[in-house]
Amino acid sequence: RYFYMLKAEKTMKISIIQSDIIWASPEENRQHLEEKLSSSPLADLYVFPEMFSTGFCTEPHKIAEEATEAGSLEWMQETARKRQCALAGSVATHADGKYYNRFYFVYPDGHYCFYDKKHLFTYGGEHHTFTPGTERVIVEYQGVRILLQVCYDLRFPVWARNRKDYDLILYVASWPESRIEAWTTLLHARAIENQCYVAGVNRVGTDPSCQYCGGSVLIDPYGKDLAACRNNQEDVVSALINLEELNRFREKFPVLNDADPFQITP
């Protein structure tokens, strides 16, 4: 699936918001992020962690928001319009009688696209209550093609393999401190192997199950950090991505031309 914006720019400023999350309290979390946004530098795109309104919970009947009612999506739309920016982050969502870990991408005019997390975290029981997505989703914003991914998706490189159809991957996560080395290593691997920019946005703090230390980072196609949040504290960092530089690198060193052909089947 592809969604296009008419406006195209050569650079885009991304801010990643590494925040703590108040357990199962959407209104308080939205207010907290509102404060973070108000004190952050202007950017074209702001990215929040996974399940930013509630924390990662595998009992969605207790915390999921109805897709048809006012809640985090409406807040994202209102905030995007007010600030004239794009917002991205996942929300536990109830729709069509099912629960989804739904990654919303909201444009400055309030319209939105979404990706439902495909790889549910079976180790934590997510697969018992949530429905997996089946569609790989790429959105386009300011000329940048963006692949949407959620947390556990990071461990499955075939799902994220660049078919010359995107320039940036967004990973939003609630990735525990106990496995943070895997998070850091795999984010850099995805940038290098796919010749793309990567934004990985993780939370900090604690929930009933885990401790989180952050490790949020913006990475360039060479695997180098453009900006990184401080560990174990809330933080906001920003960086510019440059499509001209990316395309020059891909033309000079055309790794993707030699990629193995494959087809994903259900």
Side-chain angles (χ1 to χ4, degrees):
R1 287 167 58 187
Y2 299 86
F3 306 92
Y4 293 94
M5 294 288 287
L6 294 178
K7 184 180 178 183
E9 296 184 356
K10 295 177 182 178
T11 62
M12 185 170 73
K13 185 177 180 180
I14 303 173
S15 288
I16 57 177
I17 299 182
Q18 177 174 282
S19 63
D20 197 352
I21 300 174
I22 303 165
W23 185 249
S25 185
E27 188 172 344
E28 287 185 281
N29 286 311
R30 292 192 292 264
Q31 179 60 40
H32 185 58
L33 287 174
E34 187 78 46
E35 294 168 1
K36 293 290 183 185
L37 287 167
S38 296
S39 61
S40 299
L42 294 177
D44 300 301
L45 169 63
Y46 296 88
V47 190
F48 309 137
E50 178 184 23
M51 291 196 190
F52 67 83
S53 64
T54 60
F56 181 75
C57 178
T58 56
E59 297 179 300
H61 62 282
K62 296 181 179 179
I63 52 92
E65 300 183 39
E66 296 291 336
T68 57
E69 296 180 1
S72 294
L73 174 59
E74 184 178 70
W75 171 78
M76 293 175 78
Q77 292 175 300
E78 292 174 353
T79 304
R81 290 190 193 102
K82 180 175 67 177
R83 296 182 65 87
Q84 281 300 289
C85 64
L87 300 176
S90 94
V91 177
T93 303
H94 186 220
D96 303 320
K98 299 177 180 178
Y99 296 106
Y100 299 94
N101 189 338
R102 181 160 289 180
F103 188 172
Y104 288 110
F105 189 98
V106 180
Y107 292 89
D109 64 0
H111 91 272
Y112 68 93
C113 304
F114 65 83
Y115 160 69
D116 290 330
K117 182 180 180 182
K118 180 181 188 296
H119 297 95
L120 300 179
F121 190 46
T122 57
Y123 182 80
E126 188 179 18
H127 64 301
H128 291 308
T129 49
F130 285 86
T131 298
T134 58
E135 253 187 300
R136 185 173 179 270
V137 176
I138 295 169
V139 301
E140 186 162 338
Y141 175 55
Q142 294 192 353
V144 180
R145 301 167 301 168
I146 305 169
L147 178 67
L148 306 182
Q149 302 273 275
V150 180
C151 202
Y152 196 44
D153 285 328
L154 179 60
R155 289 186 178 269
F156 302 93
V158 172
W159 185 238
R161 186 60 172 156
N162 198 340
R163 308 171 196 172
K164 300 185 180 180
D165 54 0
Y166 67 79
D167 310 300
L168 163 69
I169 311 176
L170 300 183
Y171 283 102
V172 298
S174 291
W175 197 285
E177 183 176 23
S178 59
R179 295 185 289 275
I180 199 64
E181 288 81 7
W183 163 258
T184 301
T185 301
L186 293 175
L187 285 174
H188 288 83
R190 296 295 90 81
I192 294 166
E193 70 193 9
N194 293 301
Q195 285 192 304
C196 69
Y197 292 98
V198 168
V201 187
N202 194 24
R203 64 162 294 184
V204 293
T206 60
D207 65 19
S209 301
C210 295
Q211 174 79 33
Y212 304 91
C213 65
S216 303
V217 64
L218 287 156
I219 305 168
D220 75 9
Y222 296 90
K224 299 177 181 177
D225 292 355
L226 294 173
C229 292
R230 293 165 291 182
N231 284 342
N232 292 302
Q233 59 184 297
E234 295 190 312
D235 201 7
V236 180
V237 298
S238 306
L240 281 176
I241 65 171
N242 188 310
L243 282 186
E244 284 191 343
E245 290 181 1
L246 173 62
N247 290 329
R248 282 195 297 268
F249 174 43
R250 287 174 170 174
E251 290 171 5
K252 180 180 179 181
F253 188 50
V255 173
L256 298 178
N257 289 347
D258 300 319
D260 298 309
F262 67 92
Q263 183 175 359
I264 296 176
T265 57

